[in-house]
Amino acid sequence: MKLPPVEYEAPSTVAEAIDLLAEQLDEASVLAGGQSLIPLLALRLARPEVLIDINGIAELSGVSAADGWVAIGAMTREYVAEGSEVVADAVPLLAAALPLIGHEAIRSRGTIGGSLAHADPAAELPAVARALDAEFVVRGPSGDRVIPAAQWFEGYLTTARRPDELLMEVRFPAAGRDTGVSFQEVARRHGDFAIVGLAVSLALTGGVISDARLAFAGVSDVPVRAAAAEDLLVGENPSTELFDEAARRATDDIDPPADLHGSSEYRKTVAAAIVRRGLRAAAASAARGSG
């Protein structure tokens, strides 16, 4: 389908982009990689008056590490992050999730910030950000503000970014050497959105779980932390029995949506299975790292 008529702006600086956003507010959509927005436009599910293309703003791209954090510019292509040694070393959970996003052609255009600003609850990156307590840096006419991941995702395809703000970068805490990770998902085929996905990060200290982070994709209108399971795991030695109980607690309070890909009960069963699988994989990874 042809795209609907829309005004097009291509600012070359962040300041120009923010001025346009402040002028247009809810009438504008930001074009980053376009892997989500262009199909929405074609299907008439999005009808902005103005399209603000930020591909020409070089300062929005790049990966850097400092003070225990890894900062990734909002316009950094997913394939660039996927190939980054900094990401692989310091944010292994993100590195594990990136190859599962779509296909190579999609990751060559899609951006880290675009995926997280789109906030599809079935996507991989929102679950990673929620699991790791990432921080979102946005800039508007009044300056910068930092939004924690727990507050960023407000609902289906809805974030805490205001209409006059631009997402600048996303910051992920660097993982310790004793941290093991796993990203599990069940999808109809590789590249599809997950029917259910799970981001897992475990840290072992002396063989005991000292930190546990689990976040689901595809079970609600936002990525969901499994707080009860995390509380159970911390302070315990990894075991099959522990992981079975963690799977039960992680899925006790979720009520996944039903659609043509599966019922709510099916999604809940899948969620429990990938909790067990993800915890085993993350614990084995952590044991190798701490050894």
Side-chain angles (χ1 to χ4, degrees):
M1 295 178 65
K2 292 183 179 179
L3 300 186
V6 61
E7 292 185 28
Y8 174 82
E9 299 284 354
S12 58
T13 67
V14 168
E16 290 176 11
I18 291 171
D19 285 345
L20 286 166
L21 288 170
E23 178 183 342
Q24 301 294 334
L25 296 176
D26 289 328
E27 300 301 324
S29 287
V30 176
L31 176 64
Q35 301 305 290
S36 299
L37 179 58
I38 296 302
L40 290 176
L41 290 170
L43 293 170
R44 305 304 194 265
L45 296 175
R47 295 295 298 265
E49 294 291 329
V50 181
L51 204 57
I52 301 176
D53 185 346
I54 59 172
N55 280 269
I57 306 179
E59 65 186 285
L60 292 177
S61 298
V63 178
S64 61
D67 301 323
W69 291 83
V70 172
I72 302 180
M75 277 300 300
T76 304
R77 306 292 174 186
E78 289 160 349
Y79 86 93
V80 172
E82 185 179 352
S84 166
E85 291 185 4
V86 173
V87 171
D89 291 342
V91 198
L93 182 56
L94 177 60
L98 283 165
L100 300 174
I101 299 173
H103 303 279
E104 289 186 11
I106 289 173
R107 298 195 297 277
S108 71
R109 288 295 303 170
T111 64
I112 299 295
S115 176
L116 290 165
H118 183 57
D120 192 311
E124 292 83 3
L125 296 191
V128 171
R130 189 70 182 86
L132 297 181
D133 291 322
E135 295 181 345
F136 295 78
V137 182
V138 297
R139 182 173 299 172
S142 300
D144 290 0
R145 66 187 183 109
V146 179
I147 306 170
Q151 298 174 17
W152 176 257
F153 303 101
E154 292 189 335
Y156 183 69
L157 306 185
T158 306
T159 73
R161 182 186 71 86
R162 296 168 185 156
D164 62 352
E165 292 177 326
L166 184 67
L167 177 60
M168 298 291 295
E169 67 181 19
V170 186
R171 300 172 182 164
F172 296 89
R177 297 185 64 181
D178 58 352
T179 299
V181 302
S182 174
F183 197 99
Q184 302 285 329
E185 68 178 27
V186 173
R188 291 183 62 206
R189 53 188 173 262
H190 177 75
D192 284 5
F193 280 116
I195 296 173
V196 181
L198 179 72
V200 182
S201 175
L202 285 183
L204 296 182
T205 302
V208 175
I209 299 171
S210 54
D211 184 67
R213 296 164 179 270
L214 297 86
F216 284 115
V219 302
S220 182
D221 59 354
V222 294
V224 175
R225 281 286 284 270
E230 293 173 349
D231 291 343
L232 169 72
L233 291 163
V234 173
E236 301 291 336
N237 292 299
S239 69
T240 299
E241 295 75 19
L242 177 68
F243 294 164
D244 286 344
E245 178 61 17
R248 187 189 67 78
R249 294 199 186 187
T251 55
D252 265 352
D253 296 329
I254 63 172
D255 184 21
D259 58 23
L260 74 166
H261 300 306
S263 66
S264 178
E265 191 59 34
Y266 169 74
R267 276 189 162 86
K268 199 163 183 175
T269 300
V270 170
I274 64 175
V275 168
R276 292 189 291 268
R277 186 187 308 165
L279 287 172
R280 288 196 300 268
S285 172
R288 290 193 298 270
S290 60

